[in-house]
Amino acid sequence: MCIRDSSIDAQRGSDTYGNAIVNNIYEPLLRLVQEGDGLKVEEAGAESWELSEDGLTYTFHIRPDMKWEDGEPLTAQNYEYGIKRTADPESGSESAFLLADIENFGEVNSDKKPLDELGVKAIDDMTLEIKLARPATYFTSIIPFRVCFPQRQDVVEEKGEAFGSEADTVVGCGPFKLTEWTHNSQLVLEKNPDYWDADKVSLEKINLKVLTDTNARMNAFQAKEIMSVGTNLPEWTSLFDKMDGIAQADMDLPSMDYIVPNHTDELFKNDKVRKAFNLALDRDGLNDVVLSGQSTPAYYWVPGAITLNEINFREFAGEPLKKAIEENSDAKALLQEGLDEIGQGQKPEDLEISLIMTNDTFLKTYGEYLQENLQQALGVKVNLETLEWPVLSGRVQKGDFQLAFLAWFADYNNPSAMLSLFTSDSQAVNSGWESADYDKLIGDAASETDDQKAAEIYKEAEQMLVDQDVIYPLITGKTTLYYQDNIENININQFSTAGYKLSLIHISEPTRLGMIS
């Protein structure tokens, strides 16, 4: 398998690559496991659970005799601490907003109420109670995510800032243990013999290679040095399609590549300036030229892979950004109007705009296309600044940017997984934009038990993001997962949290094991 380096801190992190580790070394209360083309909620750390008639109180009964890998018992207090650590503003969790439905979360996360007033409480060692401020029909899809993982308070406090930075700074309780972490090279997971469900864990050892270069990943898969890879690049798909012993699965990804403008920036706080840049972006050209037409131009914020139970949200809500583009045919003239309102006598040709993005090799072409696109459409000069991800993330969170290129991968299958990023109590993306009206829409939709009505509210919220140009969606992803055909139970559904627990390799040729053994 292949992964990128990232901090292994379940509560603070939000990256997809870190998920590949934490989903395997911690035991959530519930897991989302593939069942046919969909998912089912499966009891994990909780052997059973109930929801009160008013939809506000979840009671989880913790499975007895579970242990941490150092032999300490796993209790309801560990789950309480883990959830409260996510909500604690001092933690700086990038995904804390996922807990917004819990009673008093907003006040706790903004440091207006003490942490003890969060609606999470261990009634005893084996019983955890979570109280919501309002019913949230999707909450059981959040429980399996890292924001609700158990955590050891003694370990976190002992390790301090070093927690999650090395293999020996974390203690897990899941199907696997993190036994080795050579930064920028490899992470090693080994089966946890003390795991409560160890009989269902087939793999003894998993080597996860750190390969940041696209070509290096693809070459490693071709040489059968790694067991799976996802790509939609024609030069590789045409090769892998012809390889023997390879299985594949086409997937729409619940992901979005986007640009966020800084709404507190002197230039981008002007509505017309923001809109001009949004309208000028050539999404179709970006997909055709840079991505060889293998992805989907995004004229909306919620990706097409996301549904609201039986409702395909994208089919329901349409493409709201297309209408805005049709209504404003001259983006450069709109930019000039905005500059006139700012009143500094500038012309579009006078502007030098900074766009920050990660220094991924593939994204260099991506950035150069956006640079040329905006210069041709608006006349502005765009300066690209490429940064390591931690530096980029820090800049965005501090508001030290004009435009930032980012990507988001939805954590659960509901429109709120994308739309809640821009509520006032979310710290996921610091756009500098807030709206009480938007907050109310997201809250109302979360409480709505009628899917059709909820979809209408989410549609209105998405339209607000478009109308106020809160973000500039660019591309939503598609990929083909290629994997060695001797792997069984590999995760195809993007929202599964099963990790490698149920994966199985049929050994017919020892060399086929590649990086998993």
Side-chain angles (χ1 to χ4, degrees):
M1 291 292 177
C2 169
I3 195 170
R4 297 183 188 179
D5 255 7
S6 187
S7 171
I8 309 304
D9 187 329
Q11 280 74 34
R12 285 183 171 180
S14 66
D15 61 293
T16 303
Y17 309 103
N19 283 347
I21 301 299
V22 298
N23 279 341
N24 287 285
I25 66 173
Y26 291 102
E27 186 69 351
L29 292 161
L30 306 173
R31 287 187 188 274
L32 289 172
V33 180
Q34 288 177 186
E35 186 174 56
D37 294 332
L39 292 171
K40 67 175 180 178
V41 175
E42 183 177 86
E43 290 82 1
E47 63 178 356
S48 64
W49 57 279
E50 300 99 33
L51 176 62
S52 61
E53 289 187 7
D54 61 6
L56 294 177
T57 303
Y58 287 82
T59 303
F60 295 93
H61 303 284
I62 306 304
R63 197 177 297 277
D65 301 323
M66 289 193 299
K67 297 178 181 179
W68 292 88
E69 63 183 71
D70 63 357
E72 288 293 312
L74 175 58
T75 67
Q77 287 84 357
N78 297 137
Y79 287 99
E80 176 187 356
Y81 174 71
I83 297 171
K84 286 184 173 178
R85 181 170 181 258
T86 300
D88 188 344
E90 292 189 8
S91 293
S93 171
E94 296 174 356
S95 297
F97 68 95
L98 291 172
L99 303 178
D101 298 303
I102 296 179
E103 185 178 71
N104 294 328
F105 169 81
E107 293 87 348
V108 168
N109 191 240
S110 59
D111 214 13
K112 295 175 182 176
K113 284 188 176 182
L115 196 56
D116 285 345
E117 294 196 28
L118 186 71
V120 180
K121 182 180 181 181
I123 305 302
D124 55 43
D125 286 353
M126 297 290 103
T127 311
L128 181 75
E129 181 181 86
I130 300 178
K131 291 186 176 181
L132 305 187
R134 56 182 181 257
T137 56
Y138 50 78
F139 195 67
T140 52
S141 295
I142 292 175
I143 287 294
F145 192 56
R146 61 197 292 172
V147 293
C148 294
F149 281 5
Q151 196 54 266
R152 285 276 294 279
Q153 183 172 359
D154 58 330
V155 175
V156 171
E157 292 178 351
E158 177 192 348
K159 300 301 181 182
E161 288 302 312
F163 177 76
S165 63
E166 303 290 345
D168 61 0
T169 65
V170 295
V171 176
C173 55
F176 298 93
K177 301 186 291 185
L178 177 62
T179 58
E180 179 186 332
W181 185 2
T182 304
H183 288 276
N184 299 312
S185 178
Q186 178 174 267
L187 299 95
V188 177
L189 300 178
E190 295 184 19
K191 182 177 177 178
N192 179 4
D194 295 323
Y195 177 58
W196 72 271
D197 204 19
D199 288 347
K200 290 185 180 177
V201 181
S202 298
L203 300 179
E204 294 291 335
K205 187 175 183 179
I206 306 169
N207 298 311
L208 298 111
K209 303 295 288 185
V210 179
L211 298 172
T212 59
D213 181 76
T214 299
N215 288 336
R217 289 197 298 274
M218 301 306 150
N219 284 323
F221 179 73
Q222 184 182 9
K224 297 187 178 181
E225 294 172 355
I226 59 177
M227 302 302 293
S228 67
V229 70
T231 184
N232 57 6
L233 298 174
E235 61 267 34
W236 292 109
T237 58
S238 60
L239 178 64
F240 297 156
D241 286 344
K242 300 173 185 176
M243 284 178 59
D244 293 332
I246 301 299
Q248 61 180 264
D250 294 327
M251 297 183 293
D252 289 326
L253 301 177
S255 64
M256 185 66 69
D257 292 351
Y258 67 102
I259 290 174
V260 58
N262 185 349
H263 290 242
T264 66
D265 179 78
E266 189 63 31
L267 184 65
F268 286 98
K269 67 183 180 182
N270 181 276
D271 295 347
K272 291 180 179 177
V273 170
R274 278 201 317 278
K275 187 169 291 295
F277 275 79
N278 198 3
L279 301 179
L281 289 164
D282 182 7
R283 294 157 174 87
D284 288 275
L286 178 64
N287 181 48
D288 291 340
V289 175
V290 178
L291 302 172
S292 303
Q294 298 299 307
S295 291
T296 304
Y299 295 91
Y300 42 77
W301 173 240
V302 179
I306 290 180
T307 62
L308 183 57
N309 293 323
E310 300 302 316
I311 297 175
N312 183 307
F313 183 74
R314 202 64 276 143
E315 291 179 3
F316 175 84
E319 298 181 296
L321 186 55
K322 278 192 172 180
K323 183 178 179 181
I325 293 173
E326 292 168 359
E327 293 174 348
N328 297 272
S329 58
D330 193 339
K332 187 173 183 179
L334 187 63
L335 174 58
Q336 185 62 67
E337 289 180 28
L339 293 176
D340 291 342
E341 289 179 359
I342 294 172
Q344 296 182 0
Q346 288 181 305
K347 301 295 182 184
E349 292 77 10
D350 300 328
L351 296 180
E352 287 197 27
I353 305 299
S354 169
L355 171 62
I356 61 174
M357 59 197 311
T358 59
N359 58 357
D360 185 280
T361 304
F362 172 71
L363 288 182
K364 182 175 185 293
T365 306
Y366 215 116
E368 290 172 349
Y369 185 89
L370 295 172
Q371 185 181 43
E372 179 67 20
N373 167 200
L374 291 173
Q375 183 165 355
Q376 288 188 359
L378 298 176
V380 302
K381 180 179 180 182
V382 178
N383 296 317
L384 297 178
E385 187 176 359
T386 57
L387 307 166
E388 294 285 344
W389 166 248
V391 178
L392 173 69
S393 179
R395 288 269 301 267
V396 172
Q397 292 308 106
K398 290 186 293 185
D400 180 18
F401 70 100
Q402 281 188 300
L403 297 175
F405 175 89
L406 300 169
W408 191 263
F409 199 102
D411 302 310
Y412 56 98
N413 189 17
N414 187 280
S416 65
M418 297 295 293
L419 294 168
S420 61
L421 267 64
F422 299 99
T423 57
S424 300
D425 56 6
S426 171
Q427 298 182 23
V429 182
N430 181 23
S431 66
W433 178 84
E434 290 186 4
S435 168
D437 291 338
Y438 185 84
D439 294 347
K440 184 177 185 304
L441 287 173
I442 300 304
D444 289 348
S447 302
E448 181 55 66
T449 57
D450 184 304
D451 287 346
Q452 190 73 20
K453 293 179 180 178
E456 290 283 1
I457 300 171
Y458 283 132
K459 179 180 178 180
E460 184 178 349
E462 186 182 52
Q463 186 66 55
M464 184 179 291
L465 296 182
V466 171
D467 290 344
Q468 299 190 30
D469 301 281
V470 178
I471 68 285
Y472 306 157
L474 294 171
I475 295 290
T476 184
K478 295 191 297 185
T479 194
T480 299
L481 178 69
Y482 292 92
Y483 56 98
Q484 314 292 348
D485 65 4
N486 60 339
I487 302 179
E488 187 177 330
N489 296 334
I490 192 168
N491 289 315
I492 303 299
N493 191 300
Q494 298 299 301
F495 295 109
S496 169
T497 61
Y500 306 126
K501 174 180 175 178
L502 303 176
S503 296
L504 174 65
I505 294 180
H506 300 286
I507 304 176
S508 57
E509 304 171 32
T511 57
R512 290 276 299 282
L513 289 175
M515 301 315 299
I516 302 181
S517 59

